[in-house]
Amino acid sequence: MKGEKQSDTLSVNVGPMRLRNPTMLASGILGISQDIFERLYNNNIGAIVTKSISVDPMKGYANPTIVPLGNKTYLNAVGLSNPGVFAFSHEIMRNKFVPIVVSLVGSSEKDFPKMISFLDSLNVIGYEINLSCPHVSKMGMEIGDDPEMVSLIIRTIKRHTRKPISVKIGIGSMDVVEISRVAVESGADMITAINTVRAMKIDVQSMIPVLSNVIGGLSGKAIKPIGIRCVYEISKVLNVPVIGCGGVSSWEDVVEYMIAGASAVQIGSILGNSDDTFFNRITSGLKRYLARKGIKNIGEIVGLAHRY
Amino acid sequence: MPIDIDLMRLARISETVMETSSVKTLVFKDRLGSKASAGQFLMVWIPRIEEIPMSVMVSRREGHAAVTVKKHGKGTTALFEMDVGDFIGLRGPYGNRFTISTEFTNVLLIGGGTGLVPLLRLAVNITRLNIRCTLIIGARTKDEVIFEEYARKFLSDGKGKVIVTTDDGSYGLKGTASDGMVKTIGEERYDCVYTCGPEIMMKKIFEISKEQSLPVQASLERYMKCGIGICGSCCIDRWLVCRDGTVFDSNQLSRMKEFGMAFRDKDGQKLQYK
C-alpha cells in the first residue's frame, strides 16, 4: 500500500486509532457511499468520518440546504439526512481497507445501542458521537447542552462497544471545556472540536432567508480561529486526544490545529472547491514543513502552543 | 474582480414560453448562464420552496439564459408556475461539458423530454463547427413533443436533420428514441452519440452503441443539494454527478454498476430503477 511509506513522518496515534496521516474527512461531507470513501482513501486521506447516522432514515430539510457565502465559507442546514443504520450498515459491509469512523446521532440514549448492534462487527475503527448539530431540534446541540444527557449517552455507548469513541462538541450555551470534561469523565476516549456554528443568511434583494430551515451552521474559513481556540483550551486541560475540525483548507491549517493540540484534523467544506489531488498536496506540504523544521514525526508538534 | 459563481444572484424572469401543457421555458437575464457550456447546470432557487439543478437552455437574447422545466414535484411545479416579473436565485453554472472532436463529421444526438435542453445547446455548437448533426426527439405521445420547430429551423440547409419518435405512434416514428437510433445507425455512419433524458433510455442507447463500437457521452441526473461536491447526494458509484459530470463518457459509463440500475433517494438510500 502506497500510504505505508509515509508512516515515519506523518503517521499519528489518535487514542487507540493509528492513522497513516492526520487528515480525516469531517462528518456530513460526502459521507454516504463506500465507493466515494474508497476514492478518498486512494487519494491519500487518513480516515473517513461518515455522515451522522440515525436509527431510522432521515430525509433532511428541503433545499436550499447548503449556501456558499464566498471566501471558502459555507452555511448549511441539511437536517441530518441519512439512510438510517440498516441501509448504511449494508453500504459499508464490504469495507476492507478504509479506516471508517461512523458518526452517530440520536434523540435518546436508547438509540445508540441499537445502531452499535448493526455496526460493531463491521470494519469500523471507531465512533464519533454527534452531540452538537446546531440546527435539528431534539438531536445534536439540545443534547450537547445538557450535561446529564451527555453523560447518560456516553456511559450507555461505552457499555455496548469496545471501539474508541469521540464526542463531537460545538459552540452551544455550555463552555466547550466543561462539556468536554463531562464527556471524558463519562468515558469518551476523544473529543472532536468543533461542529458548525449557528448562523444565518438573508438575501437582501428578495429580503428572504436563504436556508429553508432559516437557521443553519457556519463552516469553512470563517470559523477556523474559533476551532483553534477550542482545541487549544480543551487539549490543555483534558488528557485525551482532541481531533480538530473547522475551516481547514491547507497544510498550514493542519499544522496550526496540531500545534494548538489536535492529534488529527478533519477537513470538510473545502472539499467543495478541490480536486482529487487535495490530500496529496496536504501531505506533501506537511512533509516539506517537517523536513525544514527537522521534525521526525508530526506527533511531536501536537500541543506545542500549550507553553503559552 | 471576477464574479464568484457560488454566490447566489437574483434574476427576474423576462419571458416565458409554454412548450406543452406541463413544460415551460423561463428566460431571464444572466450573463454567466448565457455562457454556460452544453451539459452544465444552474442551481435555481425558488424562494422559500426549493433549490433545484436545471440544465441551461439556449436563449436567442444576448446576455440571457433560460431553463425549461417540466412540472413534476414540489420544486418543479413552483418553478413552472412562475411568470414574467418573478424572481429566481441562481448559482453556477456548474459541472463539466459535452466534448466535440474537430475530427467528427457526423454525430447523433438523442434526447427524451427536458433532456433535450443540453442537446439543443450542443447542437448549436456542433453546427457552428460544420459537423452534421442528427437529433432524435423522443416523446411518449404527440402532445409531449418539444422543441421540434426550433430544432428543424437550425438543422435545415444540410446542417442535419430531426427525427421525432413517439411511444404510441401518434406522431413521427412509432417507438422509443432507441428504436429511432437503431433505424438511423443502419442508414448512416456516426462518429459519436450524445444523449440526455430518462436513464433507462440512456442505458439502452449506451448498450446499442457498445455493440456498434460507437463512443457515447451521456448527461446524467441525480438528486442534488449543493451542486459543488460537498454533500455527496448525487453520487453514482465513485463519481459525483455535480463535479465529475454531468457528462460521462463510454469508459466511465461501462464501469458504473449503478447506471440505469440504481439511484439514491433524498436520505441516501439506494433504490432500484423499475
Side-chain angles (χ1 to χ4, degrees):
Chain A
M1 190 113 274
K2 242 195 301 181
E4 300 298 322
K5 225 183 129 218
Q6 54 180 250
S7 63
D8 303 297
T9 50
L10 294 187
S11 74
V12 288
N13 293 313
V14 189
M17 305 190 300
R18 188 170 172 81
L19 309 184
R20 63 180 177 179
N21 72 56
T23 65
M24 300 173 79
L25 180 70
S27 182
I29 310 294
L30 300 175
I32 51 163
S33 153
Q34 176 68 22
D35 288 321
I36 300 282
F37 298 160
E38 290 176 11
R39 175 173 170 180
L40 286 162
Y41 192 69
N42 291 331
N43 289 340
N44 215 3
I45 200 168
I48 298 287
V49 184
T50 69
K51 267 183 90 70
S52 292
I53 303 299
S54 52
V55 172
D56 295 316
M58 288 175 70
K59 291 224 180 296
Y61 300 129
N63 286 340
T65 45
I66 298 166
V67 185
L69 299 174
N71 294 322
K72 298 182 181 176
T73 299
Y74 301 83
L75 178 67
N76 89 79
V78 168
L80 296 172
S81 69
N82 80 88
V85 70
F86 179 73
F88 189 73
S89 62
H90 279 79
E91 181 75 35
I92 59 168
M93 201 163 262
R94 61 198 163 85
N95 177 43
K96 289 197 176 68
F97 58 88
V98 185
I100 294 178
V101 173
V102 181
S103 172
L104 300 176
V105 71
S107 51
S108 97
E109 79 284 359
K110 294 187 185 74
D111 286 355
F112 294 92
K114 274 186 220 162
M115 292 190 275
I116 287 168
S117 70
F118 279 101
L119 297 164
D120 229 29
S121 61
L122 305 179
N123 190 10
V124 164
I125 63 169
Y127 301 105
E128 185 177 87
I129 314 304
N130 180 357
L131 298 182
S132 47
C133 174
H135 53 72
V136 176
S137 62
K138 300 199 173 56
M139 284 179 141
M141 206 50 177
E142 278 185 28
I143 291 173
D145 271 336
D146 179 348
E148 281 174 29
M149 267 306 278
V150 171
S151 178
L152 178 59
I153 286 172
I154 305 307
R155 282 184 283 118
T156 306
I157 292 170
K158 288 303 283 185
R159 278 202 304 275
H160 287 87
T161 183
R162 299 174 71 173
K163 292 186 195 286
I165 68 164
S166 184
V167 173
K168 188 165 181 179
I169 61 117
I171 310 295
S173 60
M174 265 192 82
D175 177 64
V176 288
V177 177
E178 286 319 301
I179 200 69
S180 300
R181 192 195 305 278
V182 170
V184 170
E185 284 170 358
S186 308
D189 303 282
M190 298 162 280
I191 297 291
T192 303
I194 56 174
N195 208 317
T196 57
V197 179
R198 264 171 88 80
M200 184 170 170
K201 163 74 183 168
I202 299 167
D203 177 72
V204 294
Q205 293 307 324
S206 57
M207 304 179 178
I208 292 171
V210 179
L211 285 173
S212 71
N213 191 56
V214 182
I215 286 175
L218 191 68
S219 67
K221 225 174 169 60
I223 69 163
K224 197 193 77 182
I226 305 174
I228 298 281
R229 182 271 293 180
C230 293
V231 167
Y232 170 82
E233 286 188 329
I234 296 163
S235 60
K236 202 169 180 179
V237 174
L238 298 175
N239 195 23
V240 294
V242 176
I243 301 168
C245 183
V248 175
S249 66
S250 63
W251 67 261
E252 289 94 331
D253 295 339
V254 175
V255 169
E256 190 178 351
Y257 264 105
M258 294 184 81
I259 294 172
S263 302
V265 176
Q266 297 181 353
I267 299 169
S269 317
I270 202 62
L271 296 176
N273 282 317
S274 69
D275 58 25
D276 280 353
T277 67
F278 181 81
F279 290 99
N280 279 322
R281 283 185 281 124
I282 294 274
T283 51
S284 54
L286 291 173
K287 276 191 250 180
R288 282 196 308 273
Y289 173 80
L290 296 173
R292 278 200 303 277
K293 298 278 181 192
I295 296 167
K296 288 207 171 59
N297 179 275
I298 197 162
E300 294 170 36
I301 70 170
V302 174
L304 285 181
H306 293 169
R307 294 177 287 178
Y308 306 102
Chain B
M1 212 177 86
I3 302 164
D4 185 346
I5 62 165
D6 285 350
L7 294 179
M8 199 179 61
R9 53 195 188 267
L10 280 200
R12 186 183 156 275
I13 295 164
S14 53
E15 184 190 342
T16 66
V17 184
M18 289 298 288
E19 310 288 355
T20 73
S21 59
S22 62
V23 178
K24 188 174 181 179
T25 298
L26 309 170
V27 185
F28 44 86
K29 192 173 175 185
D30 181 48
R31 196 154 293 277
L32 287 170
S34 74
K35 289 177 183 157
S37 302
Q40 289 193 301
F41 63 93
L42 291 166
M43 289 301 289
V44 177
W45 180 48
I46 307 117
R48 295 319 302 156
I49 296 177
E50 255 292 0
E51 186 182 36
I52 45 179
M54 297 291 302
S55 203
V56 191
M57 177 62 187
V58 268
S59 169
R60 276 151 292 183
R61 286 207 206 169
E62 171 69 22
H64 284 61
V67 294
T68 298
V69 60
K70 182 177 169 61
K71 72 171 175 185
H72 179 65
K74 189 178 155 199
T76 52
T77 301
L79 190 57
F80 176 85
E81 281 163 3
M82 288 201 143
D83 219 331
V84 173
D86 289 341
F87 283 91
I88 51 174
L90 302 169
R91 293 191 284 128
Y94 295 123
N96 68 357
R97 60 199 69 188
F98 286 111
T99 54
I100 311 165
S101 163
T102 48
E103 315 250 296
F104 292 167
T105 56
N106 193 22
V107 297
L108 179 60
L109 278 55
I110 309 169
T114 50
L116 282 156
V117 166
L119 297 181
L120 289 180
R121 219 176 169 83
L122 177 69
V124 171
N125 298 342
I126 285 173
T127 51
R128 278 188 196 138
L129 295 168
N130 292 322
I131 297 167
R132 224 182 105 79
C133 168
T134 297
L135 174 68
I136 299 179
I137 296 176
R140 276 181 298 196
T141 186
K142 185 182 176 185
D143 295 341
E144 294 182 7
V145 175
I146 52 174
F147 305 133
E148 187 195 357
E149 197 188 333
Y150 177 66
R152 286 202 191 279
K153 217 178 279 174
F154 75 82
L155 288 177
S156 58
D157 307 331
K159 287 181 191 155
K161 64 172 187 285
V162 177
I163 300 168
V164 179
T165 66
T166 53
D167 295 356
D168 64 1
S170 53
Y171 185 68
L173 272 178
K174 182 175 165 40
T176 60
S178 54
D179 293 334
M181 173 189 181
V182 172
K183 185 162 182 295
T184 191
I185 58 174
E187 296 163 355
E188 286 185 51
R189 217 193 65 79
Y190 292 101
D191 300 306
C192 188
V193 177
Y194 299 92
T195 182
C196 184
E199 195 155 308
I200 303 298
M201 176 200 92
M202 291 194 284
K203 176 85 170 180
K204 183 90 193 172
I205 287 162
F206 168 70
E207 278 162 4
I208 295 167
S209 304
K210 204 160 77 178
E211 285 166 25
Q212 307 285 327
S213 302
L214 263 170
V216 182
Q217 293 180 32
S219 172
L220 307 189
E221 185 177 24
R222 284 292 180 276
Y223 177 70
M224 273 181 205
K225 293 180 207 262
C226 72
I228 51 174
I230 290 180
C231 72
S233 305
C234 67
C235 62
I236 175 163
D237 294 88
R238 67 187 299 278
W239 292 275
L240 297 174
V241 170
C242 73
R243 289 200 63 115
D244 303 315
T246 62
V247 179
F248 296 93
D249 64 19
S250 305
N251 177 19
Q252 292 168 315
L253 295 168
S254 64
R255 286 155 64 204
M256 288 176 181
K257 296 183 296 289
E258 291 168 28
F259 175 50
M261 302 299 289
F263 62 99
R264 285 178 194 263
D265 202 356
K266 283 186 182 181
D267 54 26
Q269 288 191 76
K270 223 184 269 182
L271 303 175
Q272 304 295 314
Y273 279 109
K274 281 177 198 128

